[in-house]
Amino acid sequence: MQITKQTRPYRHEVPEELKWKVEDLFADSNAWKAALVQAENSLAAFDQYKGKLATSSSVLLECLQAQEALLESIVLISTYASLKQSEDGTNPENQANSSLFAAFNAKAAGTMSFIQSEILEMPEELIAQFLKEEQKLAVYSRNIQKILAAKKYALSSETEKVLASLGQIHASPYLVYQSSKLADMSFASIEDNNGAELPVSFALFEDVYEFSPDPEIRRNAYKSFTDTLASYNNTIAAAYSTEVKKQVTLANIRGYASVTDMLLESQEVTTEMYHNQLSVIFNELAPHMRKFASLKKEQLGLEKMLFCDLKAPLDHEFNPETTFEEASDIILEALKVMGPEYSEIMKKALTERWVDIADNVGKSTGAFCSSPYGSHPFILITWGNTMRSAFMLAHELGHAGHFYLANKNQRIVNTRPSTYFIEAPSTMNEMLLADYLLAKTNDNRMRRWTILQLLGTYYHNFVTHLLEGEFQRRVYKLAEEGTPLTAKVFNEVKGNVLKEFWGDSVEITEQDYLTWMRQPHYYMGLYPYTYSAGLTASTAVAASIHENGQETVDKWLDVLRAGGTKTPLELLKDAGVDMSNPNAIKQAVAYVGTLVDELTDSFA
């Protein structure tokens, strides 16, 4: 994709071959609405089970089977609405359909809330009896045990129903953020060195301009980007403040010791594991990254190293363009080590329009993979014609391969593992891609270029998202102390995090304070830090694959197939990684240090 003075295309102007094939879910909006009506009509069937789940194992089974069938429908309906909104958030029909689904989803959650409440009220001896006499309940046993584990934090059945029915309201902070970001924000154009006008968008800044070798273009694009962020500072701050207050309030009324304890419970992660992940990397990675920043400043001939210079290419004269087709071929070769079944999944993803690659007005920024049960995964990315885009694509393909295998081998109730594990399969693909590229070259410059791409992966997960996690940790602490959460507070917290991490190696300005507004992950619980947890694990497993080959690959594929049938600790132990102590984190940080050292030596 070449950036020219032309404006971004509208969605209908994008060629079909560059779009994902969302019609694999529903032929059109009418078919989707028909499915939505059918799902809504099915809610009445749950009335027959209310107040009766404790009467027999067969009644409990029938209710859980009905719930499972409805969830399968909801996932497809939800995914369609979400993908359409992500591909064009300015489209009124997409906006309306998202609202329709949100209203239905809140109603469905309220309708089914009695299931959890009645299970919580059942004596554990009775549940054990039901599980013993009805073997078909076994598939639901893990989820039942999760419900029972949170028993002491449950509220009355009526209160739980009210809270569930408010799901659309609870989601409103995120909806406000997304609407502001995708539908309302516009950015001033900039000029290149020839005076040609260049458009700026969220996607273009994050995927293209931030990596520009031209400091003037890079810094001007950053100014355009942060100027717009500044104009929405109070709006986004109000949305995020509401999200934080919501979580803190829920933690208080449920009786959790802290909001962190509440948000970690669903991840099946201890507070010690959470704090280890943030503290070890924040403190021990900083010296390596400061060395990296100083190297960039020296090699790029910059008078001062600004925050917006951190992703500038170190060797911009050696930065071969990579088309989507070329990158696809490289990725397929790199992932052959995973075996024929996995390779075939990757091939289908890259050739059967699972991936949406073009930029257009209203398209969501960044990249993600949605993997609905009952369909193939869908990947959103804005292709930037660089190897960084190839690593991002490999990352999302890792999610696709994971959930394709999990969906194939597990029932819907057992497909999703803890978010603590979610980023391990995705970053694993990035590790394998880097290993392949390094093994294929004897050219020192090419090796250096590949190391830079690998460092880009660690920067994304161990720096960008890790610092977001640290920002989030501090914000929740302030909220629980009663500090009013304003735009000024958020900006100051972000500024302090950046200054403490980068020290004197990077000049941090008030523009940089605004970058907390870039990510939607703050509206998804304690999600940002899990990127570093996943990369910690995949670093260890990739090293094991390099040493042990097929033995480790087989273990890893079994872990992917297991889906959510085990805790993240159990899954990773099956793959040979112990995350119960900080050793794996320290080893991953040390590995990053070796990459920075080799990179530094390459310029000596």
Side-chain angles (χ1 to χ4, degrees), residues 278-349:
L278 287 169
S279 299
V280 170
I281 296 178
F282 189 86
N283 294 317
E284 297 190 14
L285 184 68
H288 300 305
M289 286 296 105
R290 291 173 188 177
K291 182 177 181 179
F292 185 38
S294 297
L295 176 65
K296 280 200 169 186
K297 178 184 177 183
E298 177 186 347
Q299 292 300 319
L300 297 179
L302 299 174
E303 184 178 337
K304 53 185 177 181
M305 187 69 179
L306 301 181
F307 183 70
C308 61
D309 295 323
L310 284 167
K311 294 185 180 180
L314 248 179
D315 189 359
H316 70 87
E317 293 181 354
F318 189 78
N319 188 30
E321 290 190 353
T322 306
T323 67
F324 177 78
E325 291 73 21
E326 290 167 343
S328 296
D329 290 341
I330 293 171
I331 290 170
L332 289 175
E333 286 296 317
L335 297 181
K336 277 186 177 180
V337 67
M338 294 288 282
E341 181 184 13
Y342 193 89
S343 293
E344 184 59 28
I345 298 168
M346 298 297 99
K347 184 177 179 181
K348 288 169 68 71

Side-chain angles (χ1 to χ4, degrees), residues 354-374:
W354 293 12
V355 188
D356 195 280
I357 67 172
D359 187 29
N360 59 257
V361 173
K363 182 175 177 177
S364 183
T365 62
F368 68 76
C369 177
S370 180
S371 302
Y373 194 87

Side-chain angles (χ1 to χ4, degrees), residues 153 245-263 480:
Y153 303 114
K245 291 173 185 175
K246 176 191 76 177
Q247 300 291 8
V248 171
T249 300
L250 287 172
N252 287 337
I253 64 175
R254 290 188 180 281
Y256 285 93
S258 71
V259 66
T260 300
D261 287 290
M262 182 185 76
L263 294 174
E480 291 188 314

Side-chain angles (χ1 to χ4, degrees), residues 121-138:
E121 292 169 359
M122 293 167 63
E124 293 189 30
E125 298 79 10
L126 181 61
I127 291 175
Q129 177 188 324
F130 283 179
L131 289 170
K132 184 176 180 179
E133 66 185 34
E134 179 51 81
Q135 293 184 352
K136 291 181 180 179
L137 280 172

Side-chain angles (χ1 to χ4, degrees), residues 17-21 24 324 328-329 331-332 335 341-357 368-371 376-381 393-402 404 429:
E17 64 270 18
L18 303 182
K19 301 177 182 179
W20 50 26
K21 198 176 180 184
D24 285 347
F324 177 78
S328 296
D329 290 341
I331 290 170
L332 289 175
L335 297 181
E341 181 184 13
Y342 193 89
S343 293
E344 184 59 28
I345 298 168
M346 298 297 99
K347 184 177 179 181
K348 288 169 68 71
L350 293 167
T351 59
E352 298 183 8
R353 288 179 54 200
W354 293 12
V355 188
D356 195 280
I357 67 172
F368 68 76
C369 177
S370 180
S371 302
H376 62 75
F378 294 83
I379 294 171
L380 180 141
I381 187 172
L393 177 59
H395 178 103
E396 301 307 335
L397 285 168
H399 287 306
H402 176 200
Y404 189 97
N429 275 13

Side-chain angles (χ1 to χ4, degrees), residues 26 29-43 70 73-74 76-78 81 96-105 108:
F26 296 98
S29 181
N30 290 332
W32 176 82
K33 288 177 181 176
L36 182 66
V37 170
Q38 184 176 0
E40 189 162 7
N41 290 340
S42 70
L43 296 180
L70 178 59
S73 298
I74 289 176
L76 295 178
I77 294 168
S78 170
N97 287 348
S98 290
S99 295
L100 283 175
F101 172 75
F104 159 74
N105 196 43

Side-chain angles (χ1 to χ4, degrees), residues 57-184:
S57 58
S58 61
V59 171
L60 178 61
L61 175 64
E62 287 178 16
C63 183
L64 293 179
Q65 288 175 332
Q67 182 187 38
E68 184 180 18
L70 178 59
L71 287 176
E72 290 186 20
S73 298
I74 289 176
V75 164
L76 295 178
I77 294 168
S78 170
T79 301
Y80 182 87
S82 176
L83 295 183
K84 295 296 288 184
Q85 180 72 356
S86 294
E87 71 182 32
D88 185 3
T90 66
N91 186 309
E93 182 178 39
N94 295 344
Q95 296 172 353
N97 287 348
S98 290
S99 295
L100 283 175
F101 172 75
F104 159 74
N105 196 43
K107 182 178 180 181
T111 298
M112 293 187 289
S113 65
F114 77 92
I115 298 174
Q116 177 168 316
S117 296
E118 291 191 24
I119 290 174
L120 285 170
E121 292 169 359
M122 293 167 63
E124 293 189 30
E125 298 79 10
L126 181 61
I127 291 175
Q129 177 188 324
F130 283 179
L131 289 170
K132 184 176 180 179
E133 66 185 34
E134 179 51 81
Q135 293 184 352
K136 291 181 180 179
L137 280 172
V139 71
Y140 306 107
S141 61
R142 178 158 156 73
N143 284 323
I144 290 174
Q145 293 305 319
K146 286 182 182 180
I147 292 173
L148 295 178
K151 191 170 187 174
K152 63 180 179 179
Y153 303 114
L155 305 174
S156 69
S157 58
E158 284 303 311
T159 302
E160 292 289 357
K161 181 178 180 179
V162 170
L163 288 175
S165 68
L166 290 174
Q168 188 174 6
I169 305 301
H170 289 166
S172 61
Y174 175 64
L175 294 176
V176 169
Y177 172 77
Q178 286 291 80
S179 294
S180 297
K181 179 178 175 180
L182 301 182
D184 292 341

Side-chain angles (χ1 to χ4, degrees), residues 97 101 108 139 170 186 231 233 254 297 341 363 377 407 433 485 487 502 513 521 532 550 563 588 591 593:
N97 287 348
F101 172 75
V139 71
H170 289 166
S186 61
S231 67
N233 197 199
R254 290 188 180 281
K297 178 184 177 183
E341 181 184 13
K363 182 175 177 177
N407 290 348
L433 176 57
L485 300 179
W502 291 109
Y513 298 3
H521 296 147
S532 66
Q550 194 62 45
Y591 175 64

